[in-house]
Amino acid sequence: MNKEIIRLQPFLMNSVPKSGTHLLHQLLTGIPQLSMDISNDKKKFFIDDIYFLTKNNFENHYDRLKSLSINEFGLGHVWFTQDYVEILNTLKMKHVFLYRDPRDVLVSMSYFITNHWKEHPFHELFKNLSTFKERHLTLINGINDEWLDFNNYISPFYRWLDDKNTYHVSFEQLTQTVESRAETLRGLISYLYEGEITPFNQEQMLNKMIGNDDPRTSNTFRSGKIGSWKLEFDEELSTAFKKNAGELLVKYGYEKNNNW
């Protein structure tokens, strides 16, 4: 163990909503001396609707990101915009981006809106719909002036996958196998510390990160399984999703084509 206080520069952990945000938060806060108070709204960053983009809140984000302390990170759901790229570049801030199969995101979001997200415009509507299939279809298609269709809402997050300065982590990498999780976390440790001294050696760091994972402490956790969409989608849902967001699956490697 290195007894010195490690001075890791602040960074941003950004994710597609319902892609394992709390999982990665727990893994990161398992790193000795690293913290992120998830109950503190000043440490959280959200740009995920067209209304935000009309309010010039980028300056607010810049100031709050700049105020993060050594050995601390911010957390949020942030659409890709050139303004945000420039903020991160100006602050010389590292950026970790978590994503997941968009179909699993859709299903998880549909359940979350119904059971927890009381502020969402669809919450009351979803309570009055009798099946989750109806809710999934509503989320795919959106409603004018209330919520964007799924592709237009979700695709701006995935555009971070095209940013070469961002470290990309998939939910699947973190959960598929013990080996894929370990390999991904080793890469994440190397990215964050980039040759700097770490408080423990890499394998000790890895074990501490994994040991801090406890899904029972997350009030947003439902099942956390890969491919749960297969239990929900029928032909109608699959056709609707392909028409709306099928290209997203192909572009980012979840399918080779629309024949799934």
Side-chain angles (χ1 to χ4, degrees):
M1 175 181 176
N2 181 359
K3 295 182 179 180
E4 297 180 3
I5 295 177
I6 305 304
R7 296 179 62 82
L8 183 65
Q9 293 297 315
F11 64 92
L12 174 65
M13 185 207 125
N14 178 22
S15 64
V16 178
K18 309 310 300 173
S19 61
T21 305
H22 282 79
L23 167 61
L24 186 52
H25 172 267
Q26 288 184 331
L27 292 169
L28 286 169
T29 52
I31 295 177
Q33 304 176 8
L34 187 62
S35 67
M36 188 278 149
D37 182 0
I38 205 166
S39 66
N40 187 344
D41 287 342
K42 292 182 179 179
K43 312 294 183 181
K44 292 190 281 191
F45 302 86
F46 300 97
I47 298 183
D48 60 353
D49 64 68
I50 56 177
Y51 306 107
F52 184 99
L53 297 179
T54 65
K55 295 178 183 177
N56 192 27
N57 279 328
F58 290 106
E59 184 175 346
N60 172 275
H61 276 227
Y62 176 87
D63 291 338
R64 289 194 293 116
L65 284 168
K66 188 177 181 180
S67 71
L68 291 174
S69 302
I70 294 294
N71 295 330
E72 184 177 39
F73 64 95
L75 178 149
H77 305 309
V78 178
W79 276 353
F80 176 93
T81 66
Q82 197 56 47
D83 292 287
Y84 227 90
V85 171
E86 292 176 8
I87 286 174
L88 295 174
N89 288 342
T90 300
L91 294 173
K92 297 181 179 179
M93 180 170 283
K94 292 186 177 180
H95 179 216
V96 178
F97 177 67
L98 176 67
Y99 64 103
R100 184 184 190 184
D101 186 322
R103 293 163 294 193
D104 281 332
V105 169
L106 174 83
V107 170
S108 183
M109 187 175 294
S110 187
Y111 278 94
F112 185 65
I113 291 170
T114 303
N115 299 324
H116 299 288
W117 196 351
K118 296 180 181 179
E119 299 80 16
H120 195 283
F122 288 175
H123 178 69
E124 292 300 321
L125 171 63
F126 277 18
K127 288 199 302 184
N128 294 322
L129 295 177
S130 59
T131 68
F132 269 99
K133 177 180 176 178
E134 293 176 283
R135 296 169 185 137
H136 299 340
L137 283 170
T138 300
L139 204 53
I140 290 171
N141 295 320
I143 297 178
N144 288 339
D145 299 325
E146 288 192 49
W147 198 253
L148 294 171
D149 67 85
F150 187 71
N151 183 59
N152 277 310
Y153 171 71
I154 213 73
S155 60
F157 292 109
Y158 286 86
R159 286 179 61 199
W160 284 111
L161 293 175
D162 301 320
D163 182 64
K164 60 180 174 40
N165 294 321
T166 293
Y167 187 83
H168 310 126
V169 179
S170 76
F171 176 80
E172 292 78 15
Q173 289 172 321
L174 291 177
T175 59
Q176 196 162 30
T177 66
V178 172
E179 292 76 18
S180 68
R181 178 176 62 179
E183 181 181 358
T184 301
L185 294 181
R186 288 189 189 101
L188 180 54
I189 292 168
S190 297
Y191 169 75
L192 292 176
Y193 286 88
E194 199 173 4
E196 297 291 332
I197 298 172
T198 57
F200 291 82
N201 68 45
Q202 189 179 76
E203 289 308 301
Q204 290 172 320
M205 296 267 284
L206 179 63
N207 289 333
K208 288 181 179 295
M209 293 175 76
I210 294 171
N212 202 49
D213 172 24
D214 184 0
R216 295 171 299 178
T217 63
S218 171
N219 61 7
T220 66
F221 178 81
R222 189 176 64 88
S223 68
K225 295 180 179 179
I226 298 173
S228 60
W229 65 269
K230 296 176 183 177
L231 302 175
E232 306 271 343
F233 277 36
D234 60 10
E235 185 175 351
E236 183 181 4
L237 270 170
S238 295
T239 299
F241 193 96
K242 289 174 184 179
K243 182 178 179 180
N244 178 257
E247 290 184 5
L248 199 62
L249 297 174
V250 176
K251 181 175 182 180
Y252 296 116
Y254 282 101
E255 296 290 349
K256 294 182 179 178
N257 51 49
N258 257 353
N259 298 322
W260 48 268

